């Protein structure tokens, strides 16, 4: 669509698929492709996983063949873009869900799994994790809430203006519990930022971000400076985008 910076050139792509299952398949395919490039270039690659429910189908695919064997997990370092400050066993733990969904099924060295420290005081956890994450991520996976938040960067929150720290503690969200989140400078340095967005309830914020460029929505500001930005959506989530945009995109 003319003038839509999110769609210009091959560094800004929108992929629309038919169903949540196709979304998971496309996400897993792209995950494997980006990891393969990352390890070819640097022997190791760093990925930040997203929390929430949308990525869980993709995570399940990563824990099964062919990705279980195809991805060189020993050369992948897994991090999180945000985490709820709870122990791993808590139902709200993004790490805990990823463990259940795929980490327990892949041959990844334990030292390659960098969970956000949810069990220490948030300030201390943020400081510690800020030192643990890489300068540049090969891939940051993100979701978007119905309010347009991404990671744990919520609309109107002072965290949106943080330009120095890489990980900070925040309050808010659903559940409204203390969280840790990466900040925009980390997202801006990434080589690839991939959004996975599914469902009719996300159609309004998708339109606000991708058509209206409403920068009040944090997801609209999650744009890599030089890296690739890809939005993978199912048809429901993309249903309020103009027809010409939907017809213009890659369909899988
Ligand atoms: C979190 C997530 C969050 C998530 C969105 C979308 O920890 O809550 O990182 O940013 O991506 O809230 O969540 P759903 O995928 O569950 O809709």
């Amino acid at each position: 669509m003319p003038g839509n910076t999110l769609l210009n050139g091959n560094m800004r792509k929108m992929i629309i698929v038919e169903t949540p299952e196709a979304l998971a398949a496309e996400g897993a395919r792209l995950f494997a492709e980006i990891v393969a490039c990352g390890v070819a270039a640097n022997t190791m690659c760093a990925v930040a996983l997203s929390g929430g429910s949308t990525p869980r189908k993709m995570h399940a695919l990563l824990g099964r063949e062919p990705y279980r064997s195809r991805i060189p997990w020993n050369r992948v370092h897994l991090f999180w873009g945000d985490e709820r400050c709870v122990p791993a066993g808590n139902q709200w733990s993004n790490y805990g869900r990823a463990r259940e969904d795929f980490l327990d099924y892949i041959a990844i060295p334990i030292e390659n799994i960098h969970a956000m420290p949810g069990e220490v005081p948030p300030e201390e956890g943020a400081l510690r994790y800020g030192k643990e994450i890489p300068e540049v991520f090969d891939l940051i996976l993100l979701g978007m809430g119905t309010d347009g938040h991404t990671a744990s960067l919520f609309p109107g929150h002072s965290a949106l203006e943080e330009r120095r720290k890489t990980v900070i503690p925040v309050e808010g969200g659903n559940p409204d519990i203390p969280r840790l989140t990466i900040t925009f400078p980390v997202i801006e340095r990434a080589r690839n930022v991939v959004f996975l967005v599914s469902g009719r309830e996300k159609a309004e914020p998708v339109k606000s971000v991708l058509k209206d460029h409403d920068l009040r929505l944090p997801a609209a500001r999650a744009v890599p400076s030089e890296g690739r930005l890809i939005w993978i959506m199912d048809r429901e989530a993309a249903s309020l985008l103009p027809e010409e945009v939907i017809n213009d995109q890659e369909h899988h």
Side-chain angles (χ1 to χ4, degrees):
M1 197 173 74
N4 182 332
T5 51
L6 282 182
L7 294 177
N8 290 345
N10 63 359
M11 297 308 277
R12 302 280 184 270
K13 283 175 71 177
M14 187 187 286
I15 301 173
I16 297 168
V17 296
E18 288 304 314
T19 64
E21 290 69 23
L23 184 83
E26 185 61 18
R29 183 194 68 78
L30 202 50
F31 183 106
E33 179 188 299
I34 291 169
V35 163
C37 292
V39 298
N42 302 307
T43 67
M44 297 296 276
C45 87
V47 175
L49 297 173
S50 167
S53 55
T54 304
R56 299 195 70 177
K57 285 187 176 68
M58 178 187 73
H59 291 168
L61 293 179
L62 296 176
R64 292 204 311 262
E65 297 307 341
Y67 296 112
R68 185 162 171 251
S69 309
R70 180 184 300 173
I71 292 172
W73 293 108
N74 61 324
R75 295 164 69 186
V76 179
H77 282 262
L78 293 176
F79 299 80
W80 275 262
D82 71 325
E83 184 57 280
R84 296 79 182 272
C85 296
V86 293
N90 182 295
Q91 61 166 327
W92 298 120
S93 167
N94 289 331
Y95 163 74
R97 287 192 193 174
R99 258 245 95 86
E100 283 163 29
D101 295 342
F102 79 113
L103 298 182
D104 286 343
Y105 307 104
I106 59 175
I108 185 167
I110 190 73
E111 62 271 17
N112 287 26
I113 300 176
H114 306 266
M116 281 187 158
E119 68 292 343
V120 300
E123 286 292 345
E124 178 190 333
L127 210 58
R128 191 192 307 179
Y129 204 69
K131 294 187 181 102
E132 190 170 349
I133 61 172
E135 177 67 14
V136 177
F137 277 100
D138 292 275
L139 169 60
I140 297 180
L141 287 155
L142 292 171
M144 180 177 67
T146 51
D147 61 354
H149 83 261
T150 190
S152 284
L153 296 165
F154 298 105
H157 200 288
S158 59
L160 304 184
E161 308 318 321
E162 177 60 52
R163 299 299 305 172
R164 205 170 39 80
K165 296 175 186 166
T166 56
V167 179
I168 55 175
V170 298
E171 300 277 347
N174 174 22
D176 185 356
I177 53 177
R179 296 153 173 262
L180 299 182
T181 185
I182 57 174
T183 54
F184 281 127
V186 177
I187 296 170
E188 290 160 13
R189 286 196 292 271
R191 295 192 181 91
N192 295 276
V193 174
V194 175
F195 274 87
L196 288 177
V197 184
S198 170
R200 186 81 185 75
E201 73 280 6
K202 304 292 174 73
E204 197 54 54
V206 161
K207 174 179 165 288
S208 301
V209 170
L210 295 182
K211 179 177 174 294
D212 307 334
H213 304 310
D214 184 344
L215 294 178
R216 290 171 301 177
L217 278 70
R221 295 174 52 180
V223 179
S225 309
E226 292 167 20
R228 210 167 37 148
L229 173 64
I230 300 175
W231 277 69
I232 311 178
M233 291 163 283
D234 59 22
R235 185 164 283 286
E236 287 292 290
S239 55
L240 294 182
L241 290 178
E243 262 319 295
E244 67 269 19
V245 166
I246 291 185
N247 294 336
D248 208 19
Q249 301 310 317
E250 281 180 44
H251 284 264
H252 292 261

